[in-house]
Each structure stands twice: as C-alpha cells, then as structure tokens.
Amino acid sequence: MIQRNQLDLRKFVVPEFICGYGALQLAGRYARNFGMKQVLLVTDPGIRAAGWADAVGESLTEAGVPFTIFDAISPNPRSGQVMAGAEVYHSEECNGIVAVGGGSPMDCAKGIGIVSSNMQDILTFEGVDRVPVPAPPLICIPTTAGSSADVSQFAIITDEMRRRKIALVSKALVPDISLLDPRPLTTMPLELTVDTGMDALCHAIEAYVSNASSPMTDLHALEAIRLIHSALPAVIEDPENLELRFSTLLASLHAGLAFSNASLGATHAMAHGLGGVYDLPHGRCNALLLEHVIAANYEAAPDRYDRIGAIFDREPGEQTTPAGEIAAFRRSIGITATLTELGIREDAIPTLARRAYADPCLVTNPRRLTCEDIERIYEHAL
Ligand SMILES: [Fe+2]
C-alpha cells in the first residue's frame, strides 16, 4: 500500500475559467483583451455543422477580431494535423488561438500553439516539461463534458507514422481561459455523451487514487465522481436539460482540475495504447478498462477505492473492490461491448502492454505494474 503524506509538496495549476449560460459569447471580448489581432479558430467539421463554430465566430466579429477557421481535425488528433494547423497559423499571421470542440480540437489547438512558438515538430515535445517557449494565448470552449483539455496541462496526439498516442504534459499547455457553456453539450450524440462522461469518471477516479494526489485534488476528484454518478444517467434520459448538462460540465471541470494536477494511472496508459493502434474512441477504451484496472490496483489503495465504492451505492461496510459497481454503472448507461467486440485481438496484447508500460500516465498509478501485469489486465478486458 502506498503511503500518503499531507505535507508532501504539491503544486496546483488552474487556468481562469468562466462557467454558465452564454459563456461562449465572451470569446470575442477575451480575444480582444488578450491582444489577439488575427485568431486561428480551431474546431472540427461536426462542431461546425452543429453551428457552434459560427456562434464563436460571431462573437469574435462583434469584438472586431478577424479569424481564420482550421477544422481539418479527426477524432484522436494526428501529428500531421497539428503541423498543418501550425502552417495555417503562420501563413495567416495569427497571434492567438480560440478552440471550440471536444478534446480533439482542443488538444490539436494546444499542439499548434507550442509548435508555433517553438518552431519544432510536435513529436519533439513528448513527455513531461519538454516545452521551452510558452504558447500564444489560447481560449478554449469545450463542447463535450469529458476531456477537460480546456483546463489541463495535458495534450494527447497520435504519432501517425508509428500509430501510437503520445502524451505531452507541460504548464505551457494550460489554456489562458476556458469558457464553459452548457448549450453546446445539447447537440452531442448519445454515444459521445456516454463516452466522454466515462472519460471524466476515469479522470476523477485515477486522480483520486494517484500517488501524486493531494488534499486539493481529492476535493475535486470526489465531487466529480459524485456529480457523474448522479448526472450522467439522468442526462441520457433528458439530453436537452441544460441544468443536467451543466452538472456534467461541472463534473468534467472538477475531474480536470484533479487530474491535471494529480495525473492519471494505468487505465489511461492502457487506453492510449489502444487508441493509437486501433483509433478507437478514448472514453470507450477507458470505460472498458477501468473496472479491470480497479481490480488490479485495489490492494494498493483500499481506503480510497472503498470511498469510491460508497459513492456508487456499495453496501456500507463491504470491503471489496468497487470494480463490480463500476462495471454495473457503465452497463447501465449502455456500454456493454467488450474489447474483443471492438476488434482487439489477443495477439496484439504484448505490443499494447509495452506501449502502456512506457506511457507517462503509468508513473502515478497507485500500484507499480509490470509489463506482464498490464498484459493480464488487457486479457481480462477482452
Ligand atoms: Fe481521458
């Protein structure tokens, strides 16, 4: 079991954020305040079609800030897309970035920012604290309630040559402001709502049991878990309900504040492995791995996992891993497939495990896992 000490030195990095109805309309005012003369508006085709990129564009126009749209971004954003965005940033002589979308456009926008200020290939920033020059000002407007890229020090980019996801962790990746508005969430399809909600749950649980957790991150992690447990099933039943959508957005915000500062664990390390090779939705990968990682980790942090179990209505006094409760929860919101059904083959496991073993998220997992341990967890999830 790991020993935690409240007196251990811990840093807590948080960007400015504004949450509430209409927050996205503040994009123009903040762009002007940051001195942006020409904005790169980073988004994706789905968000454009839903009208949210136009809504942000109108706000920029009203504030007198011209912009260029860059939307050539896929789910699981790729290194080539970041470099292409950086080219547009330079050719249009931009001096600031506004990102509207889910984790993919926001991570891509973060990548474009550091590539532009450092004039280096995005892949050179892999790892922790590898960004020498700060990025230009970045305003984020999340349209999902899961990635928390709008408040975190993380960006995940797929190295398309090697088909692997790389994690970039740096204070230079924290946006300058996040505008959290519940309205864009209402156009999210059900599957995306569920997958991103489970991603947020994973962030909160992994941050809570992380061996870099602190009293400050615990506070946010537990509140996120509580909110997701109550609001996510409810919002599936009532997807237009702005108050419920806002609760999931708050949950994601709390989870982001927790994991950005406490980091993550084996679920994310293993999900990055899967996402890189198979290009699967990140939240779905996490959802299918989480209960198996909990079962493997439980003995390393039983008190913490018991507290999570209590939120998930586990019988009081029961002292077993909450993996069963977590599995029941994800099934109750419609995630019932196995990794095999998503196309994962057993013979891929050694490669996946090696990649997960090298992922920076594994460093803060409460139990030190070997490559063989990780292979066993993948096998259980098949
Ligand atoms: Fe995640």
Side-chain angles (χ1 to χ4, degrees), residues 199 203 268 282 286:
D199 188 25
H203 294 155
H268 268 77
H282 170 68
N286 278 324

Side-chain angles (χ1 to χ4, degrees), residues 39-125:
V39 161
L40 188 70
L41 179 54
V42 179
T43 186
D44 69 26
I47 293 301
R48 269 191 102 167
W52 301 116
D54 282 348
V56 173
E58 273 166 32
S59 163
L60 291 168
T61 302
E62 276 168 26
V65 182
F67 62 93
T68 302
I69 292 189
F70 177 72
D71 72 348
I73 299 171
S74 58
N76 297 321
R78 299 168 196 160
S79 44
Q81 294 169 341
V82 174
M83 299 311 289
E87 290 251 355
V88 177
Y89 184 90
H90 278 291
S91 64
E92 295 291 320
E93 299 182 3
C94 299
N95 73 336
I97 302 176
V98 176
V100 53
S104 301
M106 290 194 286
D107 279 353
C108 196
K110 291 177 169 189
I112 292 168
I114 56 172
V115 166
S116 303
S117 57
N118 289 274
M119 307 292 279
Q120 278 173 229
D121 190 276
I122 185 66
L123 300 176
T124 63
F125 303 109

Side-chain angles (χ1 to χ4, degrees), residues 199-340:
D199 188 25
L201 178 63
C202 271
H203 294 155
I205 291 179
E206 296 215 285
Y208 187 58
V209 300
S210 159
N211 55 24
S213 64
S214 70
M216 189 56 72
T217 59
D218 289 349
L219 194 67
H220 291 287
L222 286 172
E223 180 62 3
I225 297 168
R226 193 188 66 71
L227 277 169
I228 294 162
H229 175 254
S230 63
L232 187 57
V235 89
I236 291 165
E237 297 299 319
D238 191 4
E240 308 267 309
N241 186 318
L242 276 176
E243 287 187 6
L244 287 174
R245 287 289 187 184
F246 190 61
S247 294
T248 62
L249 194 56
L250 273 183
S252 171
L253 172 63
H254 281 297
L257 297 177
F259 94 79
S260 179
N261 292 287
S263 196
L264 294 161
T267 313
H268 268 77
M270 294 175 68
H272 293 156
L274 282 175
V277 177
Y278 292 95
D279 202 21
L280 293 167
H282 170 68
R284 180 97 5 168
C285 295
N286 278 324
L288 294 173
L289 291 164
L290 179 61
E291 70 222 40
H292 303 287
V293 171
I294 289 175
N297 278 350
Y298 179 76
E299 291 301 334
D303 294 352
R304 291 192 167 239
Y305 280 116
D306 287 343
R307 195 139 180 213
I308 293 166
I311 296 172
F312 278 82
D313 303 324
R314 202 179 55 186
E315 293 297 318
E318 213 180 305
Q319 298 287 302
T320 58
T321 147
E325 282 80 7
I326 297 294
F329 181 75
R330 59 118 174 130
R331 280 194 292 266
S332 76
I333 55 172
I335 300 182
T336 53
T338 60
L339 289 182
T340 306

Side-chain angles (χ1 to χ4, degrees), residues 177-189:
I177 188 162
S178 171
L179 303 174
L180 295 131
D181 192 323
R183 289 174 303 163
L185 306 189
T186 57
T187 53
M188 251 200 297

